Amino acid sequence: MRSVEEQQARVAAAAVAPRPVRVAIAEAQGLMCAEEVVTERPMPGFDQAAIDGYAVRSVDVLGVSDDGDADESSNGEISLPVMGLIEAGARTPSRLQPRQAARVQTGAPMPTLADAVLPLRWTDGGQNRVRVLRGVRSGAYVRRTGDDVQPGDVAVRAGTIIGPAQVGLLAAVGRDRVLVHPRPRLSVMCVGGELVDVSRTPGTGQVYDVNSYALAAAGRDAGAEVNRVGIISTDPGELRETVEGQVNRNEIVVIAGAVGGAAAESVRTVLAELGEMEVARIAMHPGSVQGFGQLGRDRVPVFLLPANPVSALVVFEVMVRPLIRLSLGKRQPMRRVVQARTLSPISSVAGRTGYLRGQLMRDQDSGEYLVQALGGTPGASTHLLATLAEANCLVVVPSEAEQIRTGETVDVAFLAQRG
């Protein structure tokens, strides 16, 4: 029986990163930048007012103290004539004369000779003439040309995950498209004569196809571009054509229901014609029996998952999700793990790492993490989908542990936060 870590290493070695593509910056969020974005122009491209106020020469207003009084050299109160209003977006150059002010909006170009902006709150707000209540120093409330970036600066580095700030910076430097590592394409399909789509009413002996919907959602949550194929035929000719087509157009393929029973045996026979495929027992539960291989001319990673929806989702979480994250270029493909104290006893299977559903919470006073097991209490079933829907974490039970007592500390992997 192979360990979980050994199987994860085999899977990680098969990671296939899609070729970088150029996309609109509005579509780049969450993806890894694949180029060094070098700025060609300074930002801002001109001296501009950082706040609403009056553009002035600082030497004309420095004689006013913080309490609003003029010093002895100012010969009394300082007031300046206002030459007009300069709006944000103004394109006509303007020039300030000595002992003159110009009303400016935030983002407006500074007039020539002005070296500071006098905030409105430090004036009487006059329109034709403004009384100065407090002076400013040179450069105050002015965004100078190139303050943010200079030509030749790197705005976004290769390997950076593009978030809202990076999208904004790309727009600010005039880039409408950027080279990124795209989302890996994931195909999800299921086999099983008992399966019917949720749009139909199941007859005697039939059940809804849960896996293709649940696994497709898990793939999207991990960051993949997902194609849910749904239920596929086990006829050898049709099966080969379907799988071969999906392998040729995706970076990862998942087939649920293909590791147990006669139908699964025929599926594995067909897949063996397309490349290397191995079904093995992995020292984990649920989902110990699973398959992994590389098919097609590009040796695309293909996973065979159990038919049970809980087992399939757990195997996806432990094996498939990290591969998707690696293909996205994530440096840390695994979920965040914290230590939590158990609120109830947990049973596990000796010799296998357990991945059991749980509800993670935090003590408001001590800040300690606490976890309530949902699927690992003595006598409980490990195959109830309803409890997985209630879980916000997976309790990771070491392979050497068969019983975890109340109050003991265990590793807990965060699942996606629910709104």
Side-chain angles (χ1 to χ4, degrees):
M1 188 178 292
R2 187 177 297 143
S3 72
V4 171
E5 292 75 18
E6 289 172 335
Q7 185 72 356
Q8 287 176 327
R10 288 168 63 90
V11 170
V16 177
R19 288 191 181 93
V21 296
R22 199 167 294 280
V23 301
I25 60 173
E27 301 171 2
Q29 187 171 352
L31 301 178
M32 178 180 282
C33 186
E35 64 172 321
E36 298 279 298
V37 179
V38 178
T39 59
E40 298 178 357
R41 304 179 183 85
M43 187 180 79
F46 54 90
D47 291 354
Q48 60 181 229
I51 60 172
D52 288 0
Y54 296 88
V56 296
R57 298 193 320 155
S58 58
V59 296
D60 292 336
V61 297
L62 279 179
V64 181
S65 64
D66 288 351
D67 60 8
D69 294 330
D71 63 21
E72 294 180 358
S73 63
S74 66
N75 297 319
E77 171 184 292
I78 292 181
S79 65
L80 304 174
V82 179
M83 61 171 282
L85 170 65
I86 305 175
E87 298 179 327
R91 303 180 66 180
T92 303
S94 55
R95 182 181 180 87
L96 200 67
Q97 298 299 322
R99 298 194 59 80
Q100 194 177 51
R103 183 73 177 265
V104 289
Q105 295 179 346
T106 303
M110 292 288 288
T112 303
L113 295 187
D115 65 343
V117 174
L118 191 65
L120 285 175
R121 65 182 181 278
W122 293 353
T123 73
D124 65 352
Q127 295 186 2
N128 298 319
R129 196 168 188 90
V130 59
R131 180 174 176 240
V132 179
L133 304 179
R134 180 176 174 180
V136 289
R137 297 190 178 276
S138 179
Y141 305 106
V142 176
R143 294 184 64 208
R144 296 293 187 186
T145 303
D147 269 356
D148 279 353
V149 291
Q150 294 283 351
D153 287 349
V154 177
V156 181
R157 297 192 178 279
T160 301
I161 302 301
I162 296 176
Q166 287 73 31
V167 171
L169 188 53
L170 289 166
V173 299
R175 289 291 295 270
D176 62 340
R177 302 182 74 80
V178 63
L179 194 68
V180 297
H181 296 286
R183 303 182 190 280
R185 294 164 296 183
L186 168 71
S187 176
V188 177
M189 60 193 90
C190 299
V191 295
E194 78 282 11
L195 299 176
V196 295
D197 193 72
V198 295
S199 60
R200 296 175 53 193
T201 301
T204 302
Q206 294 182 315
V207 296
Y208 286 126
D209 165 27
V210 173
N211 278 326
S212 72
Y213 287 95
L215 296 172
R220 294 188 194 97
D221 180 71
E225 178 185 320
V226 179
N227 173 33
R228 190 191 68 84
V229 179
I231 305 166
I232 61 173
S233 171
T234 54
D235 174 79
E238 293 183 30
L239 176 64
R240 177 180 176 125
E241 182 180 356
T242 300
V243 174
E244 195 167 20
Q246 295 304 315
V247 165
N248 287 338
R249 65 175 67 101
N250 293 279
E251 281 76 43
I252 304 170
V253 173
V254 169
I255 307 174
V259 292
E265 185 66 35
S266 64
V267 170
R268 296 199 296 271
T269 300
V270 172
L271 297 184
E273 301 173 3
L274 301 175
E276 301 173 4
M277 177 57 65
E278 177 196 50
V279 174
R281 282 192 174 274
I282 310 302
M284 63 178 284
H285 79 96
S288 63
V289 181
Q290 54 188 267
F292 176 72
Q294 293 175 270
L295 305 184
R297 64 179 183 274
D298 294 327
R299 295 178 54 80
V300 172
V302 177
F303 294 86
L304 304 183
L305 272 53
N308 178 272
V310 170
S311 298
L313 280 169
V314 170
V315 174
F316 190 101
E317 175 69 29
V318 177
M319 299 296 173
V320 186
R321 189 179 193 276
L323 182 65
I324 293 172
R325 306 297 284 174
L326 284 172
S327 298
L328 281 166
K330 304 292 185 181
R331 296 179 179 87
Q332 176 49 265
M334 310 305 290
R335 298 274 196 185
R336 180 189 172 198
V337 174
V338 299
Q339 289 197 319
R341 184 163 53 85
T342 59
L343 296 178
S344 61
I346 298 174
S347 292
S348 189
V349 178
R352 301 183 191 178
T353 302
Y355 295 91
L356 310 176
R357 289 90 71 200
Q359 287 183 333
L360 185 67
M361 57 204 83
R362 201 163 194 177
D363 187 289
Q364 291 185 347
D365 296 327
S366 67
E368 179 185 22
Y369 283 108
L370 308 171
V371 65
Q372 174 65 57
L374 299 176
T377 54
S381 171
T382 60
H383 299 291
L384 299 178
L385 188 61
T387 57
L388 187 61
E390 290 298 316
N392 64 2
C393 69
L394 286 179
V395 181
V396 184
V397 182
S399 59
E400 63 272 14
E402 190 172 357
Q403 296 287 335
I404 303 292
R405 294 189 299 271
T406 300
E408 289 192 39
T409 299
V410 292
D411 285 342
V412 175
F414 280 105
L415 298 180
Q417 295 295 317
R418 299 207 306 256

